Amino acid sequence: MNLRKVCIVGIGETKFGKSMDRSITDLANEACIAAIRDAGVSHKKIQIATGAYAAQWNGPAGQYFALPQVILREIGITKIPMLRVEDGCATGSVAFRDIWYRIATGEYDIGLAFGMEKMNAADSSSIRGQISDHDSEGESELGLTAATIYGMMANRMMYQYGMTREDLARVVVKNRRFGSMNPNAQFRDAVTIEEVLNARMISDPLTLFMCCGRGDGATACILMDEKTARQYTDHPIYVAANVLTSGSYDDASDYVTFESDVVAAKQAYEMAGVGPDDIDVAELHDSFAPAELKHYEDLGFCGRGESIRMIRDGETDLGGKIVVNTSGGLLSKGHIIGATGISQINYLVRQLRDESGPRQVAGAKVALQHNSGGFIHNEFCACAMNILTR
Amino acid sequence: MNLRKVCIVGIGETKFGKSMDRSITDLANEACIAAIRDAGVSHKKIQIATGAYAAQWNGPAGQYFALPQVILREIGITKIPMLRVEDGCATGSVAFRDIWYRIATGEYDIGLAFGMEKMNAADSSSIRGQISDHDSEGESELGLTAATIYGMMANRMMYQYGMTREDLARVVVKNRRFGSMNPNAQFRDAVTIEEVLNARMISDPLTLFMCCGRGDGATACILMDEKTARQYTDHPIYVAANVLTSGSYDDASDYVTFESDVVAAKQAYEMAGVGPDDIDVAELHDSFAPAELKHYEDLGFCGRGESIRMIRDGETDLGGKIVVNTSGGLLSKGHIIGATGISQINYLVRQLRDESGPRQVAGAKVALQHNSGGFIHNEFCACAMNILTR
């Protein structure tokens, strides 16, 4: 199978936050229009579109049918193949993956991937259903929510590697400092280690600031094959690797490593022909502070147990070896399920374009995006990853 | 782009109906295991899986994250790429399309497409939300539900072509007779024209029997590239064409033709190298009786306005020119959103395998599947189509 080189030519997104006064169509349209304008392409040239939408917290009124069609007809995009995809927290990334593959295989030359969520529109019964009643699957009824799983992860890393509560706080301080410099982030206040440690306890040892928030927002990007991309831009960003894996709950029973992440990284490095030492900048799925540290290890940024040293020594901060979550991460932006994956990609595109202002990683050439999927008992059950190059 | 030939090697499904005592995982597992057994393949050989699930009527408790992983871990399928897709009423077909394309392009050799729904598990608020409150999109608030749209279609066809209420009833009588011979159908009683016409009025001229029911159930199929398929079966069924289109509401304002269907048929015939005269048997999206008649015309089975003659003359019944909905159609099986598309395909596979008993179309060689997508105001906004050959 010969895959064509695929490039990201346009990116766009809304602010992330609370948007009770705007419809999900309105939010998604803003992101799609921004991406189309950024690419400098006519919307009539778009040949395929895939929308990411988890609808997890949107309540009955948000359980759309064929939402991509509903959204895109508003901006004049009709009559092309469209569908909606979902893969837990990796929902955004699988829309990107779908469009990437259709272009890489030569079926289409120009495609639109977009993702959106209005999580603040949820009614309480919807959230309660999500958290407590997963049909016949029993783990969540036993208390295994995302926060408790990551709490156990943190406890295990403290026991096994000597990680401290301050190390967890360091992740938050770094990411919220980046978030304070990102006008589109939801939480714009930088925080101190003391503030993080003294915040309300959610799932010991995780305090409020160590847990990502939810929110409303949308993201979009325009992909093209390399030849077409060159007609629209002199600085296309290449998708050097795209992988999707799933893992098994049973294989991760000590919670300090996710097999799906390890396998995805191995596959992505091989596909891109790079190693972790080549990565300049990364967006990693920091839904909870300990997750970011675990990712450093699963993705080979360091050895087992060495993530503590990395965060203490600032190796993932500006000026460090691999700068992680310069967007502010999920901890600053909020995890807006359908939008997150493409948001991570878009911030890396800005890094590779040298457009990240005070958050810019000087000379960034290779970027890695990592988006975890699944929920609660199957929290570990998906990993979407992209390696991007300029 | 060179696409490999892709074959359907295994099919499986549950009975369609009311299953309040079984989880959606249980239903989907039954269908997947049946397809795996029918293919004679080990579940460990499956390299990719895509699940179809609309979750439209499942209520808060049914708003799963990453449902394919939740379901497939129960039967030992883990660590492979999985995602969920949705495209309105065409949801099942887009899962099939995803697996078909990944195999056709040579990325994988063996894949699983499956779809499921537990629509009877819905709470009333979920259904109310679906019908009445579509965020800021206003058509449904104006009364444009599926039943009213198809009611208008029927009225227009009566006005324009001289169609009668009896013609609509003839579609139901034909499909329910087939359904009475299908042990997996939800509604097993054959009906008479009088019974159909005298049933409760839903949306004039559509009576209860002219509208499909909802239900619980699951379907699955195993796809392989031709070379691999030959290791498992001597009678693979080939996917000769697979297309997905979307259409515009504005282009179908008289409701007697859907542009998405016309375009999909054109593309599918071209891809398969056949014409409507070559089709022996078809499963068409008969969510409402007039839809089936409209499809005859949009798909070129006859000219404009001639569908009335076709149904009167039995041209789409056993012994006719193109036998339509030998499964009993949605009017007998119920429209179990995530399951419908693959169910249509599976019944055509049985026809091409000469395994349809009293419903068998003698010597069937070429089959067409047609699955409409979208909902309410964007009812016309997707068409998934497959042409299958033996």
Side-chain angles (χ1 to χ4, degrees):
Chain A
M1 178 183 45
N2 281 322
L3 293 179
R4 298 194 298 177
K5 287 185 180 178
V6 177
C7 301
I8 303 167
V9 178
I11 57 174
E13 69 197 35
T14 67
K15 285 193 185 209
F16 280 13
K18 197 164 190 172
S19 295
M20 297 306 285
D21 56 336
R22 297 180 64 187
S23 72
I24 196 159
T25 299
D26 186 27
L27 291 168
N29 282 165
E30 179 185 331
C32 290
I33 290 169
I36 288 165
R37 286 192 176 152
D38 186 51
V41 69
S42 162
H43 68 284
K44 293 187 186 301
K45 296 277 190 183
I46 295 169
Q47 300 163 322
I48 186 167
T50 299
Y53 178 56
Q56 201 65 15
W57 285 272
N58 293 271
Q63 293 175 54
Y64 290 101
F65 246 30
L67 186 60
Q69 284 93 321
V70 173
I71 287 169
L72 294 181
R73 69 168 181 161
E74 298 292 332
I75 55 174
I77 300 174
T78 59
K79 308 182 190 187
I80 61 172
M82 304 183 194
L83 73 155
R84 169 190 158 205
V85 293
E86 183 267 332
D87 197 9
C89 295
T91 290
S93 294
V94 292
F96 182 88
R97 174 174 165 81
D98 191 44
I99 296 299
W100 164 78
Y101 193 67
R102 293 274 170 179
I103 295 175
T105 51
E107 189 181 23
Y108 300 101
D109 296 333
I110 302 178
L112 166 65
F114 64 112
M116 53 272 158
E117 218 79 49
K118 249 187 83 172
M119 299 168 79
N120 285 308
D123 63 10
S124 61
S125 73
S126 169
I127 298 168
R128 197 164 52 241
Q130 173 56 37
I131 291 171
S132 65
D133 182 8
H134 216 261
D135 206 339
S136 69
E137 292 22 273
E139 289 92 333
S140 53
E141 290 166 28
L142 299 174
L144 275 181
T145 66
T148 56
I149 284 176
Y150 283 102
M152 287 194 283
M153 174 192 290
N155 277 304
R156 183 69 194 179
M157 291 174 86
M158 291 165 79
Y159 168 79
Q160 197 160 323
Y161 301 134
M163 195 183 75
T164 65
R165 287 164 192 263
E166 285 74 15
D167 293 326
L168 293 170
R170 284 184 179 97
V171 174
V172 183
V173 168
K174 170 178 72 69
N175 293 359
R176 290 288 292 261
R177 179 160 30 75
F178 282 129
S180 74
M181 295 182 273
N182 176 3
N184 278 342
Q186 180 168 195
F187 306 113
R188 299 287 316 277
D189 294 326
V191 292
T192 65
I193 286 184
E194 292 66 37
E195 284 170 326
V196 175
L197 294 178
N198 292 330
R200 182 156 57 91
M201 184 59 69
I202 300 297
S203 173
D204 190 50
L206 306 181
T207 67
L208 181 67
F209 293 150
M210 297 177 190
C211 308
C212 69
R214 60 182 205 166
D216 311 324
T219 54
C221 67
I222 301 284
L223 291 96
M224 302 183 186
D225 68 285
E226 183 182 25
K227 191 178 159 194
T228 307
R230 289 284 175 191
Q231 300 170 23
Y232 289 92
T233 180
D234 295 327
H235 50 73
I237 303 303
Y238 290 84
V239 183
N242 175 292
V243 300
L244 176 67
T245 64
S246 67
S248 158
Y249 174 78
D250 302 316
D251 296 321
S253 55
D254 67 357
Y255 289 160
V256 300
T257 179
F258 292 179
E259 189 185 15
S260 49
D261 288 355
V262 174
V263 172
K266 188 171 174 297
Q267 291 179 0
Y269 292 140
E270 190 180 322
M271 192 170 177
V274 303
D277 290 345
D278 298 308
I279 307 297
D280 300 306
V281 57
E283 291 284 322
L284 308 184
H285 194 91
D286 60 329
S287 50
F288 296 87
E292 179 169 317
L293 298 176
K294 180 207 74 62
H295 301 330
Y296 296 173
E297 302 177 10
D298 278 350
L299 276 49
F301 291 3
C302 62
R304 287 286 156 212
E306 293 176 6
S307 62
I308 304 160
R309 181 186 51 72
M310 283 197 93
I311 193 70
R312 287 180 190 169
D313 293 355
E315 286 189 17
T316 56
D317 207 340
L318 274 186
K321 182 179 149 192
I322 304 177
V323 192
V324 172
N325 286 331
T326 61
S327 69
L330 279 58
L331 291 170
S332 300
K333 294 184 298 174
H335 182 21
I336 298 175
I337 312 285
T340 287
I342 296 171
S343 172
Q344 294 177 310
I345 290 167
N346 285 358
Y347 280 100
L348 293 174
V349 168
R350 289 191 190 94
Q351 283 286 351
L352 296 174
R353 285 181 179 175
D354 198 14
E355 293 176 353
S356 298
R359 296 176 289 107
Q360 182 64 43
V361 175
K365 287 188 178 62
V366 184
L368 183 147
Q369 176 252 5
H370 162 276
N371 191 191
S372 294
F375 186 70
I376 302 188
H377 57 282
N378 60 323
E379 184 65 57
F380 320 150
C381 273
C383 178
M385 197 173 289
N386 285 279
I387 294 177
L388 310 178
T389 59
R390 71 176 188 196
Chain B
M1 177 181 46
N2 280 321
L3 293 179
R4 298 194 297 178
K5 287 185 180 178
V6 177
C7 301
I8 303 168
V9 178
I11 57 175
E13 68 196 37
T14 66
K15 285 192 183 208
F16 280 13
K18 198 164 188 171
S19 297
M20 298 305 285
D21 56 337
R22 298 179 64 186
S23 71
I24 195 157
T25 299
D26 186 25
L27 291 168
N29 281 166
E30 179 186 332
C32 290
I33 289 170
I36 289 165
R37 285 191 177 152
D38 185 51
V41 68
S42 162
H43 67 284
K44 292 185 186 303
K45 296 278 190 183
I46 295 169
Q47 299 164 323
I48 187 167
T50 299
Y53 177 58
Q56 201 65 15
W57 286 274
N58 292 271
Q63 294 177 50
Y64 290 102
F65 246 30
L67 186 60
Q69 285 93 322
V70 173
I71 287 169
L72 295 181
R73 68 167 181 162
E74 299 292 333
I75 54 174
I77 300 174
T78 59
K79 307 181 190 188
I80 60 171
M82 303 181 195
L83 73 155
R84 169 190 158 207
V85 293
E86 183 266 332
D87 197 9
C89 295
T91 290
S93 294
V94 291
F96 182 88
R97 174 174 164 82
D98 191 45
I99 297 299
W100 164 77
Y101 192 66
R102 293 272 171 181
I103 295 175
T105 51
E107 190 181 21
Y108 300 101
D109 297 332
I110 303 179
L112 166 65
F114 63 112
M116 53 272 157
E117 218 78 50
K118 248 187 84 171
M119 299 167 79
N120 285 308
D123 64 8
S124 61
S125 73
S126 169
I127 298 168
R128 197 165 51 241
Q130 174 54 37
I131 291 170
S132 66
D133 183 7
H134 216 262
D135 206 341
S136 70
E137 289 25 271
E139 289 91 336
S140 54
E141 290 165 29
L142 299 174
L144 275 180
T145 66
T148 55
I149 284 175
Y150 283 102
M152 287 193 283
M153 173 191 291
N155 277 304
R156 183 70 195 178
M157 291 174 85
M158 290 164 79
Y159 168 79
Q160 197 158 324
Y161 301 133
M163 194 182 75
T164 64
R165 287 164 194 263
E166 284 74 15
D167 293 327
L168 294 171
R170 285 184 178 98
V171 174
V172 183
V173 168
K174 170 178 72 69
N175 292 358
R176 289 288 292 262
R177 180 160 29 76
F178 282 129
S180 74
M181 296 183 272
N182 176 3
N184 278 344
Q186 181 169 194
F187 306 113
R188 299 288 315 279
D189 295 324
V191 292
T192 65
I193 286 185
E194 292 66 35
E195 284 171 325
V196 175
L197 293 178
N198 292 329
R200 180 156 58 91
M201 185 58 69
I202 300 296
S203 173
D204 190 51
L206 307 182
T207 66
L208 182 66
F209 294 150
M210 296 178 191
C211 308
C212 68
R214 58 182 208 167
D216 311 324
T219 54
C221 67
I222 300 284
L223 290 94
M224 303 184 187
D225 68 284
E226 183 182 26
K227 191 179 159 195
T228 306
R230 290 284 176 191
Q231 300 170 24
Y232 289 92
T233 180
D234 296 327
H235 51 73
I237 302 304
Y238 290 85
V239 184
N242 175 292
V243 300
L244 176 67
T245 65
S246 69
S248 159
Y249 174 78
D250 302 316
D251 295 320
S253 55
D254 66 359
Y255 289 161
V256 300
T257 178
F258 292 179
E259 189 185 14
S260 49
D261 287 356
V262 173
V263 173
K266 188 169 174 296
Q267 291 179 0
Y269 292 140
E270 189 179 322
M271 192 171 176
V274 302
D277 290 343
D278 298 308
I279 308 297
D280 300 306
V281 57
E283 291 283 322
L284 308 184
H285 194 91
D286 59 330
S287 51
F288 296 88
E292 179 170 315
L293 298 176
K294 181 206 72 64
H295 301 330
Y296 296 174
E297 303 177 10
D298 278 350
L299 275 49
F301 292 2
C302 62
R304 286 285 155 213
E306 294 177 5
S307 60
I308 304 162
R309 183 186 50 72
M310 282 197 93
I311 193 72
R312 287 181 190 169
D313 293 353
E315 287 190 16
T316 56
D317 207 340
L318 274 186
K321 181 178 150 194
I322 304 178
V323 193
V324 172
N325 287 331
T326 61
S327 69
L330 280 56
L331 291 171
S332 300
K333 294 185 298 174
H335 183 22
I336 299 177
I337 313 285
T340 287
I342 295 172
S343 172
Q344 294 178 310
I345 290 166
N346 285 358
Y347 280 100
L348 293 174
V349 168
R350 288 192 191 94
Q351 284 286 352
L352 297 174
R353 285 181 180 175
D354 198 14
E355 294 176 352
S356 297
R359 296 176 289 107
Q360 182 64 43
V361 175
K365 287 188 179 62
V366 183
L368 182 146
Q369 176 252 6
H370 161 276
N371 190 191
S372 294
F375 185 71
I376 301 186
H377 56 283
N378 60 321
E379 185 68 57
F380 321 150
C381 273
C383 179
M385 196 173 289
N386 285 279
I387 294 178
L388 310 178
T389 59
R390 70 178 189 196

